[in-house]
Amino acid sequence: MEFLIENELSILRWVHILAMVYWLGGEWGVFQTSYHVTNPALSLEERRRHMETAYRIDILARTGIVLLLPLGLHMGKLYGFVPLLEGAGVWWMWLFFAVWLAMTWTAFIKRETDLGLAVTRTEELLRYPLIAALVVVAGMAFAGTGPIESGPSNFWYPSKMALYAFALVIGLFLRVVMRRWTERFRILAQGPDAAQEAALAREIGQARIAAYIYWVTIASVCFLGAVKPF
């Protein structure tokens, strides 16, 4: 326990790097797999196998993106940027994100069921107020009105928070696309459906554009955290 306390910041930084790696690498894996999921030349069974692979890769990316925020906030507390998390505040923060992570894994494990789809939709809805809160808090930090203590030497921290919120927006869109895959494949399992195939092709085209923006955003978050340029 003494080792953990003495090396708290270093351990958090290490886990933060791992979460970032799984986030970025996982999204690339899902992107590549999506080509086969939406390929109408393949059999439905083959496409479903690729969709299963995509989900198994994606859960690591989802886990990474959920963990990044509490890890960043916890490190922000140690840096002195987030005084609200002093004392019991940090434990309440981790409890909130533990529930979010549990919902993420429940949605993954039960993804082929109505329960899984319902949990996925609920998790998606919870992201809206979280994104709004992050944007507001980042804006207040730049204005110097709290709750993040920011200044000329650490504007990188609220900037990173704002970029993370933007990444959540893109991720939310990509999550919706993957949820629709499950719903559309349920329909395709009943027989060929040109409308569903057209919708798959349209959505994957949009998702690929979003993925490119996603990678640039993730890389920018990494840059701010590593370089701390302003």
Side-chain angles (χ1 to χ4, degrees):
M1 181 61 69
E2 183 178 347
F3 172 81
L4 294 177
I5 294 174
E6 291 178 354
N7 297 277
E8 184 178 4
L9 181 59
S10 296
I11 293 171
L12 288 169
R13 188 183 295 116
W14 170 62
V15 180
H16 193 271
I17 291 171
L18 288 178
M20 185 69 73
V21 168
Y22 280 116
W23 181 21
L24 184 58
E27 295 297 346
W28 175 256
V30 174
F31 179 82
Q32 293 300 319
T33 308
S34 68
Y35 283 95
H36 303 296
V37 173
T38 58
N39 184 358
L42 298 176
S43 68
L44 183 62
E45 187 60 32
E46 181 71 13
R47 294 165 70 185
R48 290 179 72 94
R49 280 197 292 269
H50 285 296
M51 185 170 70
E52 175 68 14
T53 300
Y55 269 109
R56 289 181 178 274
I57 296 172
D58 187 58
I59 187 57
L60 294 178
R62 293 191 189 201
T63 300
I65 195 172
V66 171
L67 287 176
L68 280 171
L69 184 53
L71 287 166
L73 289 172
H74 195 144
M75 287 190 290
K77 177 188 81 85
L78 297 179
Y79 282 127
F81 299 157
V82 195
L84 285 177
L85 294 182
E86 294 296 337
V90 70
W91 297 109
W92 285 109
M93 182 269 294
W94 274 108
L95 178 60
F96 170 80
F97 284 102
V99 172
W100 183 13
L101 190 59
M103 292 179 64
T104 299
W105 274 86
T106 299
F108 165 69
I109 294 170
K110 299 292 185 179
R111 59 192 176 281
E112 294 293 340
T113 67
D114 291 336
L115 172 63
L117 290 173
V119 173
T120 300
R121 292 191 188 97
T122 302
E123 194 264 351
E124 289 169 1
L125 289 174
L126 289 176
R127 290 190 180 213
Y128 290 103
L130 178 61
I131 291 168
L134 288 172
V135 172
V136 170
V137 168
M140 292 174 67
F142 282 113
T145 57
I148 302 296
E149 293 189 359
S150 185
S153 62
N154 56 40
F155 278 137
W156 63 269
Y157 189 79
S159 298
K160 186 179 176 184
M161 185 177 291
L163 276 178
Y164 177 84
F166 179 62
L168 282 182
V169 174
I170 302 174
L172 183 61
F173 170 70
L174 295 175
R175 296 291 82 79
V176 170
V177 169
M178 289 196 72
R179 172 169 56 79
R180 287 175 179 172
W181 283 359
T182 300
E183 296 169 342
R184 296 195 192 287
F185 271 86
R186 281 185 174 186
I187 299 173
L188 289 171
Q190 301 171 10
D193 190 313
Q196 295 300 320
E197 293 288 5
L200 278 171
R202 181 180 64 255
E203 289 167 359
I204 199 60
Q206 296 169 347
R208 284 171 185 154
I209 295 173
Y212 291 124
I213 301 173
Y214 207 22
W215 293 325
V216 173
T217 303
I218 296 171
S220 300
V221 171
C222 292
F223 176 82
L224 289 175
V227 179
K228 302 176 179 57
F230 50 84

